[in-house]
Amino acid sequence: MRTALAYHNTTIVEKQLLVFEKDVLEGLREVPKRLHSKYFYDATGDALFQQIMHCQEYYLTRCEMDILRGQTEQIVRAIRRQAPVFDLVELGAGDASKSFYLLKELLRTGAIDTYFPIDISRNIIAQLQQSLPVKLPGLQVTGLNGEYMDMLQAAGQITGRQKVVMFMGSSIGNFTPAEAVQFCAKLRQQLQPGDMLMIGFDLRKNPKTILDAYNDKAGITRAFNLNLLERINRELDGNFDVSQFEHYPTYDPLTGACKSFLISQKEQAVEIAGQTVRFGANEPIFMEISQKYTVEEINELASRSGFRPVEFFYDSKRWFTDVLWQCR
Ligand SMILES: C[S@@+](CC[C@H](N)C(=O)[O-])C[C@H]1O[C@@H](n2cnc3c(N)ncnc32)[C@H](O)[C@@H]1O
């Protein structure tokens, strides 16, 4: 007999699977076809992303690590000037390997005792829930598995304390600039005046450096993109032949948009959850945007979404910035 908790968990998993199926089929019926990059992250996708973070071409992680490890104390001081004691919420926490340095210092200085990592990957939340209390004794970890906004609302129901929200890894770049304004404005609505946001932006730089980061020679980013087709095969009873799709990243230095596509190598039909989806030869599936910003665009985003810029932290090359904002 199933326990009430097991039953509750099963229904959440089943619900997530139904939403995944609906989003995949709707996206592949659109013109142009698209898949949402939030679905990259199952257990295989999480492991591939951790490999990407170590790729020589993927400068983003090294730059952000440079900031969070090299300027931990300055960041903590800047946060605590506005928020001496608070709850820390991280949107899309991933393996928390970069935020670990901040968490450690915030815990040491008594600024936090509870950390709410939010992630759409069930696997990553289970890992964090297990590993972090061992690595950082005394830290309460309340993992929240689900969508950013739903889980931020859930965190707000658990605690009424002042909040600092972290959104690292240039995940804001996975929205178009217009979507980013909407996203930050929604985020602002869920927070109180005085709450803070620490947000990581990848800055515009040599276009080739950017494009190479999404086209590593070892083919890990390619495998990361193709894994979403494999995930559809595994979870939605699909029959994609992944050898018939090619990874195609692009970067437009005029708009700062880096986009990844999978290109169908021939005319083909694919079965997904009992439905047939047809692809033309050379037809693209739009997989992901990774938007690159200028400092002016970042300040504009803050002001259009109800935040006041407090401080910019840069890596030594000035390729990346983690920015501290406060709710107006
Ligand atoms: C690019 S990774 C960044 C991970 C980490 N923040 C870092 O900087 O290394 C994005 C993370 O956000 C999660 N994610 C993506 N879309 C999400 C969504 N809509 N809601 C919640 N989590 C999401 C993914 O599962 C993944 O762990």
Side-chain angles (χ1 to χ4, degrees):
M1 209 176 80
R2 285 192 294 184
T3 63
L5 182 62
Y7 179 74
H8 178 69
N9 287 341
T10 309
T11 55
I12 290 172
V13 171
E14 283 169 357
K15 198 171 141 218
Q16 286 174 342
L17 195 61
L18 284 174
V19 176
F20 178 40
E21 178 182 315
K22 179 174 159 293
D23 286 351
V24 164
L25 288 171
E26 277 179 11
L28 293 179
R29 282 185 192 124
E30 277 176 34
V31 183
K33 289 183 170 56
R34 68 160 303 167
L35 288 171
H36 201 299
S37 60
K38 67 185 174 190
Y39 292 121
F40 281 156
Y41 302 91
D42 64 349
T44 310
D46 292 337
L48 284 166
F49 185 71
Q50 283 160 24
Q51 287 181 45
I52 290 174
M53 293 203 296
H54 291 106
C55 280
Q56 190 262 323
E57 295 93 335
Y58 197 76
Y59 59 84
L60 291 86
T61 304
R62 282 191 306 279
C63 290
E64 200 173 31
M65 191 66 103
D66 180 7
I67 299 170
L68 294 175
R69 238 159 101 172
Q71 299 170 61
T72 326
E73 286 170 23
Q74 292 93 313
I75 297 171
V76 168
R77 269 202 302 276
I79 296 175
R80 296 198 74 193
R81 272 197 288 275
Q82 316 291 333
V85 178
F86 53 88
D87 279 333
L88 188 69
V89 180
E90 182 163 12
L91 304 178
D95 67 2
S97 53
K98 285 172 283 166
S99 35
F100 176 81
Y101 296 95
L102 269 189
L103 286 170
K104 194 171 166 191
E105 182 64 7
L106 289 169
L107 188 65
R108 188 190 70 77
T109 54
I112 60 164
D113 54 25
T114 310
Y115 170 55
F116 295 88
I118 290 175
D119 207 290
I120 199 165
S121 164
R122 215 175 317 128
N123 167 65
I124 213 86
I125 290 296
Q127 283 180 19
L128 290 177
Q129 196 76 56
Q130 205 170 41
S131 64
L132 276 180
V134 179
K135 289 190 202 153
L136 293 172
L139 183 68
Q140 307 281 338
V141 181
T142 304
L144 297 166
N145 169 224
E147 289 274 347
Y148 298 134
M149 291 298 165
D150 297 345
M151 294 302 109
L152 184 59
Q153 203 169 16
Q157 283 162 3
I158 300 171
T159 164
R161 269 193 186 170
Q162 184 167 7
K163 284 188 196 60
V164 176
V165 176
M166 296 200 298
F167 193 35
M168 319 299 273
S170 176
S171 293
I172 187 72
N174 296 143
F175 297 109
T176 64
E179 288 167 350
V181 175
Q182 284 178 10
F183 179 82
C184 291
K186 261 198 212 159
L187 198 54
R188 171 64 193 85
Q189 280 169 16
Q190 298 242 8
L191 299 174
Q192 302 297 323
D195 285 351
M196 305 194 81
L197 178 61
M198 174 98 175
I199 180 162
F201 290 91
D202 192 16
L203 296 169
R204 299 215 190 171
K205 59 187 66 62
N206 183 311
K208 192 160 174 349
T209 305
I210 293 176
L211 190 56
D212 286 352
Y214 297 86
N215 204 18
D216 60 279
K217 287 201 182 71
I220 299 167
T221 310
R222 172 181 174 276
F224 182 61
N225 277 262
L226 290 173
N227 175 58
L228 179 44
L229 304 190
E230 284 161 355
R231 179 179 183 186
I232 293 170
N233 287 350
R234 285 191 292 271
E235 296 184 22
L236 301 180
D237 204 13
N239 68 351
F240 274 107
D241 175 355
V242 298
S243 70
Q244 295 305 318
F245 288 85
E246 190 176 79
H247 170 56
Y248 181 70
T250 65
Y251 176 63
D252 179 352
L254 292 179
T255 62
C258 186
K259 292 183 180 173
S260 298
F261 301 89
L262 287 176
I263 311 289
S264 173
Q265 295 301 285
K266 61 174 189 185
E267 208 173 287
Q268 53 187 320
V270 175
E271 296 293 315
I272 301 166
Q275 310 274 322
T276 304
V277 180
R278 296 185 190 284
F279 293 85
N282 297 314
E283 186 177 1
I285 313 174
F286 173 36
M287 303 295 286
E288 184 178 51
I289 181 166
S290 303
Q291 181 69 34
K292 310 304 168 191
Y293 280 83
T294 63
V295 168
E296 294 70 29
E297 286 165 342
I298 294 170
N299 282 333
E300 163 114 13
L301 177 56
S303 94
R304 288 181 65 191
S305 52
F307 290 93
R308 171 181 78 84
V310 175
E311 196 161 341
F312 281 78
F313 299 92
Y314 295 96
D315 63 296
S316 53
K317 290 192 182 122
R318 289 200 159 233
W319 281 6
F320 198 98
T321 184
D322 281 311
V323 189
L324 194 58
W325 291 352
Q326 188 163 38
C327 293
R328 285 202 304 258

